[in-house]
Amino acid sequence: MLGLYIHIPFCVRKCRYCDFLSAPACDSEREAYLKSLHGQIKAIGERLRQKKSGKHYIVDSIFIGGGTPSLLSSDQMQALMDVVRESFYVADDAEITAECNPGTVTRKKLCAYKRAGINRLSIGLQSADNEELALLGRIHTWEEFLDTFEAARNACFTNINIDIMSALPGQTVLSYQNTLTSVLALHPEHISAYSLIIEEGTPFFDEYGETDCAKKKKKDAAKLLPSEDEVVQMDELTWKLLGEAGYEHYEISNYALPESVCRHNLKYWHCEEYLGVGTGAASYIKTNSSGDYCRLKVITDTKAFSEIDWNDPSSLDKCFAECDILSLQEQMEEMAFLGLRTKEGVRLSSFYERFGKSFNEVYGEVVKKYTAMGMMKADETHVALTLKGMEVANWIMADFCG
């Protein structure tokens, strides 16, 4: 089984905190990109069929991310899905997600997306407070989000994720609590709750970052950022309110109602095979029967990607900026720190089956250390973080890297 990630690098306007590979583009630029994207999907599908002696790979999850994939017209989304189905075998019960921003879709467009095969939406809300949304540089208001959510329900989408963020400039514990309760009142199947990370190269970094030229701005603007104590209170509110509402905290930043976990994202955390197409997309693919895994990354220059001649037999190799064969140690580390992001933790049987070593043989001392601190729990089948451990997950995971 294979997961497929498709990157659409277009947006209406860049948000002030965003460091993703995305930018506004005109219609002709979008068309050129999509034409090349179709070419890449077909070329990879053919390459993988050769690898499997003419058989199609079975794709059981697809995630169309960005950027803002919901900028694609109905016809563009249908054409994209048609190419995917021509190039791979898409399982009948495949989870097919498209990211969607409020204000970029109508009920009519969403119905067309549904006909194209999209069966899950991930809607980027971030906050229910319009002032916070304005500070983030979002293109929508809370009211426009509600219109989009209603349109999605009216288009018969029964599996919807809502993205929200904490630790935002101007955000208080009370305003974040209002975002949580407002979202819970809508009863989405899934909620992703992220804490703001201020990334270098963004307008937010210029205001709140650590560069010398930004120190004065940071000093002046720092009062807008929640304190560490307030951020901890926001995290505790997330766990408490979502847990009481019946959402399972199945991954550090993700919560789902029963039977609604994101199957595609679980592939990342369980170190299963996935393929990424489009600019900047990453893949994690087994290269041979001996168990070697390769990490691929597509070039990040959208213009250069759009100009690739897919009739050239060497084009597929040229589209990748990186191709790294992972060592056994690197594979073990990834299975450890990615698996520990989930509530389930690392499956000990899966680790042994893949590496021929027990988890305790490799990481026993680290597990013993954090179990004694109440940050980790272990039994005969799994090793996982406790809620206390999830609070400092990045610190713990560093101990699983060489």
Side-chain angles (χ1 to χ4, degrees), residues 347-384:
R347 301 171 185 170
L348 301 185
S349 59
S350 297
F351 190 92
Y352 184 80
E353 287 168 12
R354 181 154 161 186
F355 303 117
K357 296 181 178 181
S358 73
F359 192 79
N360 281 333
E361 180 183 348
V362 182
Y363 296 114
E365 290 303 312
V366 182
V367 173
K368 188 182 299 182
K369 170 185 172 181
Y370 288 111
T371 300
M373 296 168 67
M375 294 181 176
M376 193 171 283
K377 54 187 178 182
D379 57 28
E380 294 180 354
T381 61
H382 294 83
V383 171

Side-chain angles (χ1 to χ4, degrees), residues 135-173:
L135 276 169
L136 290 171
R138 300 293 291 173
I139 65 168
H140 64 88
T141 63
W142 163 247
E143 291 75 20
E144 288 168 326
F145 162 80
L146 289 176
D147 289 342
T148 296
F149 187 86
E150 182 180 10
R153 288 301 197 207
N154 289 338
C156 299
F157 278 94
T158 58
N159 193 357
I160 298 177
N161 169 64
I162 297 176
D163 280 350
I164 60 174
M165 296 177 73
S166 59
L168 304 178
Q171 191 175 55
T172 64
V173 174

Side-chain angles (χ1 to χ4, degrees), residues 297-299 308-310 312-321:
K297 187 175 181 181
V298 181
I299 59 173
I308 292 175
D309 177 8
W310 292 101
D312 179 353
S314 66
S315 59
L316 190 55
D317 297 318
K318 292 177 180 176
C319 82
F320 292 108

Side-chain angles (χ1 to χ4, degrees), residues 83-213:
V83 169
V84 169
R85 289 191 172 91
E86 290 169 12
S87 306
F88 301 92
Y89 175 77
V90 179
D92 292 340
D93 64 345
E95 174 194 86
I96 306 177
T97 304
E99 289 185 333
C100 168
N101 268 349
T104 63
V105 292
T106 62
R107 180 181 179 277
K108 183 178 179 181
K109 182 192 268 193
L110 289 172
C111 286
Y113 281 14
K114 196 81 185 293
R115 290 193 296 273
I118 309 301
N119 54 31
R120 183 176 182 272
L121 289 179
S122 181
I123 306 177
L125 166 61
Q126 315 315 347
S127 171
D129 185 291
N130 286 335
E131 289 187 12
E132 292 172 8
L133 291 173
L135 276 169
L136 290 171
R138 300 293 291 173
I139 65 168
H140 64 88
T141 63
W142 163 247
E143 291 75 20
E144 288 168 326
F145 162 80
L146 289 176
D147 289 342
T148 296
F149 187 86
E150 182 180 10
R153 288 301 197 207
N154 289 338
C156 299
F157 278 94
T158 58
N159 193 357
I160 298 177
N161 169 64
I162 297 176
D163 280 350
I164 60 174
M165 296 177 73
S166 59
L168 304 178
Q171 191 175 55
T172 64
V173 174
L174 187 59
S175 71
Y176 180 64
Q177 181 174 350
N178 180 64
T179 290
L180 286 172
T181 56
S182 298
V183 167
L184 286 171
L186 299 173
H187 307 292
E189 287 69 33
H190 192 285
I191 297 172
S192 295
Y194 303 105
S195 183
L196 173 68
I197 298 175
I198 298 172
E199 301 285 3
E200 194 167 355
T202 65
F204 266 20
F205 189 83
D206 292 338
E207 293 184 50
Y208 304 103
E210 300 295 342
T211 59
D212 289 340
C213 66

Side-chain angles (χ1 to χ4, degrees), residues 5-14 17-23 33 63-72 77 97-101 122 126 138 163 268 277-281:
Y5 174 80
I6 303 173
H7 190 67
I8 306 298
F10 310 124
C11 57
V12 175
R13 183 182 68 210
K14 195 84 168 173
Y17 61 89
C18 178
D19 74 330
F20 295 156
L21 180 55
S22 62
Y33 177 83
F63 196 102
I64 307 172
T68 305
S70 51
L71 288 177
L72 298 190
M77 185 65 80
T97 304
E99 289 185 333
C100 168
N101 268 349
S122 181
Q126 315 315 347
R138 300 293 291 173
D163 280 350
Y268 301 145
V277 295
T279 50

